[in-house]
Amino acid sequence: MYKADLNQLDLILESVWNEILSQSKLVQAIFKGDICKALFVMYMLETYHYTKHNTKNQALVGVRNLTLPHRYTSYCFKHAREEIGHEDMALRDIANLDFVLPEIKNLKPLPATEVLIAYLYWISFQGNPIQRLGYSYWAESCYHYINPIIQKLSSVLKLKEDQLSFFIAHSSIDEKHFKEVADMILSFCYSEQDFQDITRVMETSLRLTGQMLDNVYHEYQKVLQGKSNLYPFLSKQSIPA
Amino acid sequence: MYKADLNQLDLILESVWNEILSQSKLVQAIFKGDICKALFVMYMLETYHYTKHNTKNQALVGVRNLTLPHRYTSYCFKHAREEIGHEDMALRDIANLDFVLPEIKNLKPLPATEVLIAYLYWISFQGNPIQRLGYSYWAESCYHYINPIIQKLSSVLKLKEDQLSFFIAHSSIDEKHFKEVADMILSFCYSEQDFQDITRVMETSLRLTGQMLDNVYHEYQKVLQGKSNLYPFLSKQSIPA
Amino acid sequence: MYKADLNQLDLILESVWNEILSQSKLVQAIFKGDICKALFVMYMLETYHYTKHNTKNQALVGVRNLTLPHRYTSYCFKHAREEIGHEDMALRDIANLDFVLPEIKNLKPLPATEVLIAYLYWISFQGNPIQRLGYSYWAESCYHYINPIIQKLSSVLKLKEDQLSFFIAHSSIDEKHFKEVADMILSFCYSEQDFQDITRVMETSLRLTGQMLDNVYHEYQKVLQGKSNLYPFLSKQSIPA
Amino acid sequence: MYKADLNQLDLILESVWNEILSQSKLVQAIFKGDICKALFVMYMLETYHYTKHNTKNQALVGVRNLTLPHRYTSYCFKHAREEIGHEDMALRDIANLDFVLPEIKNLKPLPATEVLIAYLYWISFQGNPIQRLGYSYWAESCYHYINPIIQKLSSVLKLKEDQLSFFIAHSSIDEKHFKEVADMILSFCYSEQDFQDITRVMETSLRLTGQMLDNVYHEYQKVLQGKSNLYPFLSKQSIPA
């Protein structure tokens, strides 16, 4: 009987994360302390945008297919439920930083964020019905990689707990979620093809998230240069001269 | 503030049920005792078919719309989860009657059942996102109307508990579900238009279920006359001469 | 090689049509001359509603499947294009009868019409990709059966050409369409199962259309009795005392 | 009345193209003549993959929305029809290079190609219904930018006409298409927001195509190093030592 090798997933994950973290100008800027609250707000906005869709595309996996094992369908809806409203935490963190956002429906995601969203619906709607587990596998275990970044960010910007609730809440919830994801992969990854499909989605969705970071940083440079018109609500004083 | 009048729903429901029950030849045959196990199997097969889709179309309501209240989205996925696998009970009841079905994927629903399924996806996929509550409102409270029928059926056919598990299980689960449905209607039916949309789906889906009963009875007549080729697995001895 | 037997389709069609026409109270009322313009308007409104969706559900067949023969995909989009805007003819016929409709988006189809619409999306979205040809097969050839009804209707109500444009236009367009539909069935109906799927959709969609006629007549009775609130725009004088 | 400024689209397009072409290692390799037929085959395979979906996502725009202007719906289905089967040209060009592909259903697109496909469905399925015109705007006019590349490729690899049919056919068809696209934008781009939505899709889909080129080149390097297992059908002799 086929048994998915989670260690192999972990190794691939490590190499993709290292590639992203070492090349990300956003991450480098954070470690240099070369950041300001406006950048954090910009990042949290993108987090808001893609997080809002996670409930939907997760449940979509359970909707589209009449032949899924009941336990996997049940996981899809349970996990979807547990993600409901998480996007609101991102908005609250922004509000607690005393930024006043315009009506959120008027804020569009950056292109790279929209591409990530598009991809997550695509792999949820068609293809191997268990492939979305590849996304959850890295997303629910990302704190291993991003905690140092958030800590640095937090100390440089002197963020309080109620300005970091999204990350704090997730780092505890996600531990439980990650175990469920691993359990689902071990239970329903029946073949080498299944494993490849999960791996592919894991890698691709993580890389697209890396591109989202790049897009945030690129737009941030434009903000600093006064060339972006996307964030009229970022007051002058929130941006270093 | 608008408050949905559940009594009005109940009154409409009563009148539609009475119309259906009084006109249904299937129901009349049951009360006359003019039935056999083959008819029960035929009915349980249709039950299997539409029940299998209920999880999917219920969850679909929560997937399609980014602007639903979180509590309603949560209800959709919770309710969807609780319906998972109920169709299997219908098959088990048939198996416990010692009927050997062909591979289930080769069994198609009767036309009226397929129309019911089509309608439930349609009202779940588009239109007022709370309108599907109209379907749940009658479906989760139907035992008030159908218990006498099931009891008669059960006594005529001498059915055992493990041949009636679908109905027994549902009559207890559904009480809890019904309270949740009523709570959702009271919470999220904000206007007369909402109320009309719920009412419309309640009436239409109940009438389509009535037509499903008619279709079963019509096909049963064909079976009795040796003119149906849909049920090769109904042995001669299960059908009265 | 399998060859679809169109004669068999025609025979089934004849028997379903005869059943519908002989039982339809609407048709009987027309032949008795026991009708008024309000009834015609009510019928044309339902025609408007389901016709509006025909372009969409026809094209949907070509969208959903990557493995269709190119010629069939091409047919789907060609046919979809040729149906664009036909619903407007129904509205214009009503306007030319000097009825002033409210904003059309505020007019909902009757329940039976909505069920027909739901079914046509369902069979277009899933199942055998050629099954929708069963709907087109009867719809594009219906004038054989309904011409006498329209002629009677027209003479009783003294309708002019520009009040009957929907029917006049279709009876000529549809001849060409019907040939294409027959050609598609002969080309792509590869097996007995395909033939059954087409037959099933033909029968079911025709019966649902019959139920739409019943629903119109039922609602018309309510209008006559002053019990319908769906048509505030039907002036008193358009309805016989 | 708002009038879309096509010149502005052209200017943005020029700057994105220049950015892509100047940074693309694939394009640089072609101009250096540092390529082989295997690379061309790899590129044509990705072309096959995303082209296959263009018919579907184009028609999807016309399906999803009941309130589109008829002329725009008509354009969607006409354009979708004209794209049917174009993916076959890509496969034929490969076959004419004497490469024997495995069954095509066993060939998956590279990740960057799948992301492009996902994005095109996403922007076709939701959002501004005219935004997909931004994709067509660059895709139907790309020959201005890519002809020099194809000519160089063709001369280095000594490609014959029947090995370049995809590009030859498109460079003539697309001129007509481009005029239609421009006409649609001028006709249905009613506001600055519409223009921004079109621009956004134009830029994003072009950049994703650029990333597809990068992905092909990256995988090609792996092929040269014997590290890719995606193309077992690329014979040793087709790859330079």
Side-chain angles (χ1 to χ4, degrees), chain B residues 220-233:
Chain B
Y220 177 58
Q221 295 304 315
K222 287 171 71 178
V223 167
L224 292 183
Q225 295 157 23
K227 287 182 184 163
S228 171
N229 58 359
L230 297 181
Y231 308 93
F233 53 92

Side-chain angles (χ1 to χ4, degrees), chain B residues 178-236:
Chain B
F178 180 71
K179 278 181 193 155
E180 289 172 5
V181 173
D183 178 30
M184 285 297 123
I185 294 177
L186 290 171
S187 302
F188 297 114
C189 180
Y190 293 138
S191 68
E192 183 55 30
Q193 184 61 55
D194 283 348
F195 190 75
Q196 280 175 24
D197 292 338
I198 289 171
T199 306
R200 177 184 176 97
V201 167
M202 180 181 77
E203 260 202 74
T204 308
S205 58
L206 179 49
R207 285 186 197 282
L208 291 177
T209 305
Q211 293 188 7
M212 185 184 81
L213 299 184
D214 293 345
N215 202 162
V216 168
Y217 191 73
H218 183 74
E219 199 64 31
Y220 177 58
Q221 295 304 315
K222 287 171 71 178
V223 167
L224 292 183
Q225 295 157 23
K227 287 182 184 163
S228 171
N229 58 359
L230 297 181
Y231 308 93
F233 53 92
L234 292 180
S235 63
K236 285 266 162 64

Side-chain angles (χ1 to χ4, degrees), chain D residues 148-200:
Chain D
I149 307 170
I150 296 168
Q151 270 161 25
K152 181 73 189 175
L153 192 83
S154 166
S155 76
V156 172
L157 298 179
K158 300 191 176 60
L159 300 176
K160 293 173 203 148
E161 273 204 15
D162 72 348
Q163 296 160 340
L164 277 168
S165 67
F166 183 88
F167 289 113
I168 293 170
H170 277 86
S171 57
S172 65
I173 302 166
D174 288 1
E175 206 172 327
K176 183 173 82 70
H177 282 181
F178 180 71
K179 278 182 193 152
E180 289 172 5
V181 173
D183 179 31
M184 284 297 123
I185 294 177
L186 290 171
S187 302
F188 297 114
C189 180
Y190 293 138
S191 68
E192 182 56 31
Q193 184 61 55
D194 282 349
F195 190 75
Q196 280 175 25
D197 291 339
I198 289 172
T199 306
R200 178 186 176 95

